[in-house]
Amino acid sequence: MPDAKEQRFFNLDIDVYVPGRWYFKTPTQLDGQRLEDPWVFTLGEPIPDPGPLLIPLSRPGSPLDFTSAGVGFTPILSARTAEVFRAQASRDVQLFPVQVEGQHEPYFLLVATRTVRCVDEVASEEVQFWRPEDGQPEKVGGYRYIAGLRIDKARVADERVFRPWGFRSALIIDGELKAALEQTGIVGGLFVEV
């Protein structure tokens, strides 16, 4: 593995510019019942097997290799993309099979099981914190908004996939994993260096 200073990391996000792309709603149980806590998939820690899940469409379109679903920005992967994560970063992820509405092919919900306290507040373009006057006392002092996210690579140990502490909408992957995903011809994912 490269030296921390040489290593590159990327936020894997959805590519909204894919023509005719599909969009997903929040995962549900197979019978359409809402999940008790749809945010559990983005906590950056291992979770119990949620059982069979349905990924309903918000807007039909072209099937993609990478899409996020619902309120928690939960990553949904095609089988070939899931296999790259399984082969390259099995210590850092859980993959749960899901049924995407209208699809017969297998898809997987990805849970990053690691969190790293690594946001570089100085190098990031803009960082806003929750304040008492925002009316959410449980969030005071945490990140409310980050633009131009940058991480302190020296704080990353051996993680290949992780969520930054306090900013769980970001899914960070290392450069080697990015290259492997690009070799598969991943469609729907956008890599932004952090």
Side-chain angles (χ1 to χ4, degrees), residues 157 164 193:
E193 191 158 8

Side-chain angles (χ1 to χ4, degrees), residues 38-45 72-75 111-112 163 168-169:
W39 296 95
V40 70
F41 305 120
T42 58
L43 294 177
E45 59 190 42
F73 306 103
T74 301
V111 172
R163 299 278 184 180
R168 65 185 188 191
S169 63

Side-chain angles (χ1 to χ4, degrees), residues 34-156:
R34 296 172 82 132
L35 298 175
E36 187 175 311
D37 181 9
W39 296 95
V40 70
F41 305 120
T42 58
L43 294 177
E45 59 190 42
I47 65 167
D49 187 335
L53 296 175
L54 173 67
I55 309 300
L57 292 173
S58 164
R59 186 173 86 190
S62 302
L64 302 172
D65 296 309
F66 179 84
T67 304
S68 64
V71 296
F73 306 103
T74 301
I76 307 297
L77 313 176
S78 68
R80 72 181 182 154
T81 304
E83 186 50 41
V84 173
F85 278 91
R86 186 177 288 112
Q88 302 262 334
S90 61
R91 292 178 326 114
D92 298 341
V93 300
Q94 291 174 298
L95 294 160
F96 299 107
V98 294
Q99 175 63 52
V100 172
E101 180 183 345
Q103 296 296 306
H104 299 290
E105 296 80 21
Y107 282 85
F108 295 84
L109 183 152
L110 180 138
V111 172
T113 60
R114 300 176 91 181
T115 298
V116 178
R117 194 173 194 125
C118 63
V119 172
D120 188 331
E121 296 170 3
V122 174
S124 295
E125 189 178 306
E126 181 181 356
V127 177
Q128 293 179 7
F129 298 92
W130 288 97
R131 302 169 305 183
E133 57 268 27
D134 293 326
Q136 297 197 36
E138 72 284 359
K139 294 184 177 182
V140 170
Y143 300 120
R144 181 176 185 165
Y145 172 78
I146 300 176
L149 173 66
R150 294 290 177 262
I151 65 168
D152 180 348
K153 297 174 188 176
R155 293 183 177 183
V156 181

